Amino acid sequence: MSKETIFSKIIRKEIPADIVFQDERATAFRDINPQAPTHVVIIPNKLIPTLNDATPEDEATLGHLLLVAAQVAKQEGVAESGYRLVINCNRHGGQDVFHLHMHLLGGRGMRWPPG
Ligand code: 5GP
């Protein structure tokens, strides 16, 4: 059994979060510590700790996260100017919350390579 994080509480609306999208498979909410004018975290409602833990059964959910990201980018008005999607995995990836999530960052130019 994987250990729940604060993100499970956000999905169930047990703690406040600025949710910008939610359906039966995914939830998207504004990051509490934004790194860009638009910074939304997109997560599967199912607890998958890291990308390493995803299985073929999760394929549709993972694909859904990308479609949600494109929809949220439109909603947020950054689709045309552009945005970056980031998945941090484990220590070297900089992952702090062990509930798989995708960052959507936009509203400013992004540097490459990232730090
Ligand atoms: P990670 O470093 O794991 O890729 O990203 C976790 C992200 O979740 C961070 O950007 C952090 O600011 C955000 N975060 C952590 N706890 C909360 C919370 O309780 N509410 C919200 N809205 N964001 C959170």
Side-chain angles (χ1 to χ4, degrees):
M1 206 38 191
S2 303
K3 199 167 171 283
E4 282 198 351
T5 74
I6 195 119
F7 287 180
S8 291
K9 290 191 165 60
I10 289 176
I11 293 165
R12 295 195 296 261
K13 301 187 172 144
E14 290 169 6
I15 60 162
D18 190 354
I19 293 176
V20 297
F21 175 93
Q22 187 165 48
D23 68 7
E24 70 286 347
R25 273 208 291 226
T27 300
F29 53 91
R30 290 190 201 287
D31 198 292
I32 205 167
N33 182 24
Q35 301 302 312
T38 297
H39 187 171
V40 173
V41 179
I42 302 161
I43 64 177
N45 294 340
K46 174 186 172 186
L47 171 49
I48 303 169
T50 79
L51 187 57
N52 294 339
D53 302 303
T55 67
E57 190 185 288
D58 300 318
E59 193 168 343
T61 298
L62 297 180
H64 186 63
L65 296 183
L66 287 173
L67 294 178
V68 169
Q71 183 178 324
V72 169
K74 261 192 215 135
Q75 246 172 249
E76 295 292 314
V78 299
E80 295 311 317
S81 53
Y83 54 93
R84 179 170 290 171
L85 300 176
V86 175
I87 295 175
N88 296 326
C89 183
N90 279 337
R91 187 164 51 92
H92 280 183
Q95 183 174 7
D96 291 320
V97 178
F98 287 86
H99 183 133
L100 174 66
H101 53 279
M102 189 155 64
H103 297 261
L104 186 159
L105 298 148
R108 65 166 170 83
M110 301 290 152
R111 290 208 187 83
W112 192 262

